[in-house]
Amino acid sequence: MPTDLSPTARALRAMEILQTRPGVTAVELAACLGVTERAARRYVGILREAGIPVESARGPYGGYRLGRGTRLPPVAFTEPEALSLVMAVLDGRPAAADVDDLVGSALRKVIRALPENVGRQAAALREHASAAPDRYSARPDPATVSALVAAIAGRRRVLVTYRSESGNEWAADVDPWAVVVRHGRWYLLCYSHRADAIRTYRVDRIRALQQTAHEFEPPDGLDPVAALEENLSTGWEFPTRVVFDAPVAEVAPWVRPPMGRLEPSGDGCVLVGSTSNPAMYAQEWLASVPFAFRVEGGQELRAAVATVASRFAAALTDQL
């Protein structure tokens, strides 16, 4: 924390810490403020003198917390916090630099609410920084995300209508376990009663969503990110099976979880999975693996690999 803050600024910072970390001890508060424990207690006293109820409790589970019903002033950002917020927004959504963008409009309102000296720097960053769009990102409807999060929090089963990349559409009852953001794409990790298996659905491809009265319990110790990575290669329309002439240990660093499950096979290994986009699987994933391989299945992936091979072979054809 900056060392040149005024006592008033430190007292406001202390109140912010009490708001976000109820039960914080004097030692922890002092560390956050960059002062001694005695000084931290003094800032708590300043808050109490200003009429802000700060409760305290002794013992191993004691600490400071704001009293019930405390009315707090608007959120205040330090300059590093404000700049970090703008950077994070532009990094995650390059279009936020556009005033007509929904997130850009919200960011503009946040910047306007900042103190002049902080807001000036944040506004300059937003105006002069540029971000290249991620061509693979796909952002869903905020209303759909909100409905999914509500169902996850309430542990309620939902009926989703889903459209795959190939245009197939179906409805399924699912237990929504988590929403996971991965490389600019939003996924629903869930248990599909239609498939009787774990599934990962792109949230931007959910056409309709309805919460039901059925409750569910998520798996104990669920790691949403790990479970998503493990299941991204299963349940898609087109099966894949690729055999590599190299051992698992050498091929594994080049294989990402969505490509499938890598298993030993003789002196080499085999990659088994599924995909909704054989062309992307062939030209972006397989083409980058520096080992000899042969595609044993499925038919759609074999066709996609043949197309890529023909295109590269044509690039070397002597035109003279």
Side-chain angles (χ1 to χ4, degrees), residues 35 72 91 112 180 193 216 233 286 288 306:
V35 299
L72 298 175
D91 183 48
R112 283 180 178 175
V180 181
H193 292 272
F216 71 90
S233 64
L286 284 182
S288 66

Side-chain angles (χ1 to χ4, degrees), residues 89-115:
V89 172
L90 293 179
D91 183 48
R93 188 181 179 94
D98 186 350
V99 295
D100 295 327
D101 181 75
L102 186 63
V103 176
S105 176
L107 181 61
R108 185 174 66 253
K109 293 178 181 179
V110 171
I111 292 175
R112 283 180 178 175
L114 296 173

Side-chain angles (χ1 to χ4, degrees), residues 5-270:
L5 291 183
S6 67
T8 301
R10 288 191 185 276
L12 290 174
R13 174 58 177 153
M15 183 171 63
E16 181 182 345
I17 294 170
L18 294 176
Q19 179 187 13
T20 57
R21 297 179 55 184
V24 65
T25 66
V27 174
E28 293 169 338
L29 182 60
C32 292
L33 295 174
V35 299
T36 64
E37 183 179 342
R38 180 179 179 182
R41 295 183 186 278
R42 185 165 64 249
Y43 290 124
V44 171
I46 292 175
L47 293 177
R48 287 170 171 164
E49 290 175 2
I52 298 173
V54 180
E55 301 173 351
S56 60
R58 297 182 179 276
Y61 302 103
Y64 294 114
R65 66 184 67 244
L66 295 177
R68 291 183 178 274
T70 303
R71 296 179 61 85
L72 298 175
V75 176
F77 296 107
T78 64
E79 184 174 308
E81 289 174 337
L83 294 179
S84 296
L85 177 62
V86 175
M87 290 169 64
V89 172
L90 293 179
D91 183 48
R93 188 181 179 94
D98 186 350
V99 295
D100 295 327
D101 181 75
L102 186 63
V103 176
S105 176
L107 181 61
R108 185 174 66 253
K109 293 178 181 179
V110 171
I111 292 175
R112 283 180 178 175
L114 296 173
E116 182 179 357
N117 61 325
V118 176
R120 184 172 57 253
Q121 293 297 322
L125 174 61
R126 179 179 183 275
E127 180 180 355
H128 298 291
S130 300
D134 182 356
R135 64 192 180 100
Y136 296 112
S137 66
R139 292 177 177 83
D141 179 6
T144 301
V145 176
S146 177
L148 282 175
V149 170
I152 293 168
R155 298 187 174 182
R156 296 284 183 175
R157 187 178 302 171
V158 294
L159 173 64
V160 298
T161 302
Y162 190 80
R163 181 180 296 168
S164 69
E165 186 174 15
S166 60
N168 294 329
E169 187 169 305
W170 67 85
D173 283 314
V174 304
D175 296 340
W177 290 349
V179 169
V180 181
V181 185
R182 180 182 184 276
H183 301 322
R185 292 179 175 177
W186 293 65
Y187 294 92
L188 170 64
L189 176 68
C190 62
Y191 179 83
S192 169
H193 292 272
R194 176 177 180 268
D196 192 24
I198 299 173
R199 287 290 184 262
T200 53
Y201 295 136
R202 286 263 299 273
V203 179
D204 60 294
R205 293 180 182 160
I206 294 178
R207 320 312 297 174
L209 175 70
Q210 181 181 350
Q211 189 174 141
T212 73
H214 297 283
E215 297 183 349
F216 71 90
E217 286 292 328
D220 292 335
L222 175 67
D223 183 336
V225 175
L228 177 80
E229 293 280 4
E230 182 180 346
N231 287 277
L232 271 177
S233 64
T234 62
W236 303 110
E237 297 98 315
F238 309 115
T240 60
R241 181 180 175 86
V242 183
V243 177
F244 292 93
D245 296 331
V248 170
E250 294 182 15
V251 178
W254 298 89
V255 173
R256 294 179 291 172
M259 295 175 68
R261 184 179 66 258
L262 196 61
E263 301 175 343
S265 177
D267 294 332
C269 57
V270 59

